[in-house]
Amino acid sequence: MPSVVSTLSIPVTVLTGFLGSGKTTLLNRCLQEAAMADTLVIINEFGQTALDHFLVAHSQENIVQEMGNGCLCCTMRRDLTQTLRDITWRFSRQGQRQFKRVLIETTGLANPAPIIHTLLGEPQLAGKYQLDGLVTVVDLEHALSTLDKHDEARRQVAVADLLLLSKRDCVSAEQERAVRARLDQMNPWAQRHVLSAGQALAPWLLGLGGQQGQWRAWLEQALDGQHHDGDHDHDHDHDHDHDHDHDHDHDHELDVSRHGRDIQALSVVLPSPLSEQQLRSWLAAFGDWAGERLLRLKGVVNVQGCVQPQVVHAVQHRVYPWQVLPQWPWADRQGRLVVITRGLPRQSIWDRLGELDPAVRSAG
């Protein structure tokens, strides 16, 4: 049966963003806020000499745990697991843990998928930590060229729960609109805020995925995000009922080439309650089929025999233990899934979603 994440699990926020986007500046600011006082920060750098931890201003020496000598997205996975196991006693006094949450700042070259794997699927961490949200800083000044050239930057945007837009004062309104349009195509439902001087950051970073209200906000954004801002007309008008999808496949591929570099995002409604066996088998099969092309799948589903809604996560070929929400975020009790893929034929995704629920429909 699905597992319940303990209310005592330590929430973990992952802060990512490509090189030069402004992560360290953001971290310096938010750690001055009272709401972040009991946050332990893990900083990872790429290369033999770690520097970023010297640039972070913090009130206590033990609030920053630096991890260097490698890249957290590959060889550092074991070290991340070990660090998360060790910090509960290394940062304790008289048997009491001295932090309530963890924030991981990744190197700008990090692929977020292995980090998500570690936090959601590592048995040694099960019940002790929970992924609260993935935050990506986007440099408005260089975003378009960066997204064109670097796969890591595209992945960081595609899987984010929250996009923070930096360097607004360096760009024109026209350039900002162009970046927003690109982000809309790649991840239309991520929460989005523009960074500016003097604003509190902790309310944005904390509680992204761990609270009932945040699930509602995320899903409302998934439903409405395909039409927000009103300044673009690409891709979203192709996200209607899949019975008509053939009519738009060619246009969609043109849009993906121009804006998304073959990353696409689908938000769907699953009207029918699903059997547990059916859902588990489908998730495993979908992950095996998609493999590395599945950047992220997350959703809330109605499982037969379960009064409470079940939360599902999958990244690449890995499907993670289900979580349980205390109550339904919406009245109709219909499941919602968000699927973010790279290089997969759109109609093939719809065909497989139809195998899960023949009545599946677009949430847009």
Side-chain angles (χ1 to χ4, degrees), residues 290-316:
E292 293 185 356
R293 298 172 297 179
L294 176 59
L295 300 184
R296 196 174 186 186
L297 177 151
K298 62 178 180 178
V300 178
V301 293
N302 189 347
V303 176
Q304 295 172 5
C306 297
V307 176
Q308 296 170 306
Q310 309 299 308
V311 180
V312 297
H313 293 277
V315 177
Q316 298 176 353

Side-chain angles (χ1 to χ4, degrees), residues 27-241:
L27 194 56
N28 265 312
R29 284 179 51 191
C30 71
L31 286 179
Q32 306 308 310
E33 300 176 22
M36 300 290 288
D38 45 15
T39 299
L40 187 138
V41 178
I42 299 173
I43 297 179
N44 170 238
E45 293 190 39
F46 185 81
Q48 294 300 312
T49 304
L51 298 175
D52 273 359
H53 66 293
F54 293 115
L55 305 177
V56 175
H58 50 88
S59 58
Q60 301 179 39
E61 287 299 319
N62 68 350
I63 206 170
V64 174
Q65 171 71 23
E66 174 266 322
M67 296 174 62
N69 300 319
C71 177
L72 183 139
C73 67
C74 45
T75 59
M76 291 293 283
R77 275 192 64 189
R78 287 190 298 272
D79 289 346
L80 174 61
T81 300
Q82 188 64 45
T83 297
L84 290 174
R85 290 181 60 196
D86 290 350
I87 57 177
T88 53
W89 61 265
R90 288 185 62 185
F91 297 95
S92 296
R93 295 175 185 170
Q94 297 180 341
Q96 296 296 314
R97 190 178 73 241
Q98 296 299 297
F99 61 94
K100 293 183 179 178
R101 63 185 62 84
V102 172
L103 187 149
I104 299 172
E105 182 198 4
T106 75
T107 169
L109 298 172
N111 171 5
I115 303 169
I116 300 173
H117 284 324
T118 302
L119 293 171
L120 292 178
E122 174 53 56
Q124 298 179 66
L125 304 179
K128 300 181 177 113
Y129 294 91
Q130 64 181 36
L131 177 61
D132 195 58
L134 205 150
V135 180
T136 299
V137 182
V138 177
D139 174 357
L140 285 169
E141 185 178 13
H142 301 106
L144 294 177
S145 61
T146 298
L147 292 171
D148 281 344
K149 296 175 183 177
H150 299 285
D151 178 57
E152 295 90 347
R154 294 191 289 273
R155 289 175 181 268
Q156 290 166 3
V157 167
V159 302
D161 300 296
L162 169 64
L163 297 172
L164 295 178
L165 310 184
S166 65
K167 306 183 184 179
R168 189 185 207 178
D169 57 336
C170 298
V171 301
S172 65
E174 181 180 2
Q175 184 173 345
E176 181 180 348
R177 283 194 295 270
V179 174
R180 285 178 175 272
R182 180 76 171 270
L183 300 178
D184 288 342
Q185 195 280 324
M186 298 177 68
N187 191 343
W189 45 77
Q191 297 181 51
R192 191 180 304 174
H193 297 290
V194 176
L195 294 171
S196 61
Q199 63 196 171
L201 300 174
W204 295 346
L205 298 177
L206 305 180
L208 279 169
Q211 302 296 325
Q212 176 78 5
Q214 294 298 333
W215 277 105
R216 179 187 296 275
W218 169 69
L219 286 153
E220 287 176 350
Q221 184 74 0
L223 293 173
D224 299 336
Q226 293 171 326
H227 304 286
H228 69 277
D229 285 348
D231 59 359
H232 60 284
D233 58 2
H234 54 276
D235 183 51
H236 309 320
D237 57 341
H238 307 309
D239 252 351
H240 300 302
D241 189 285

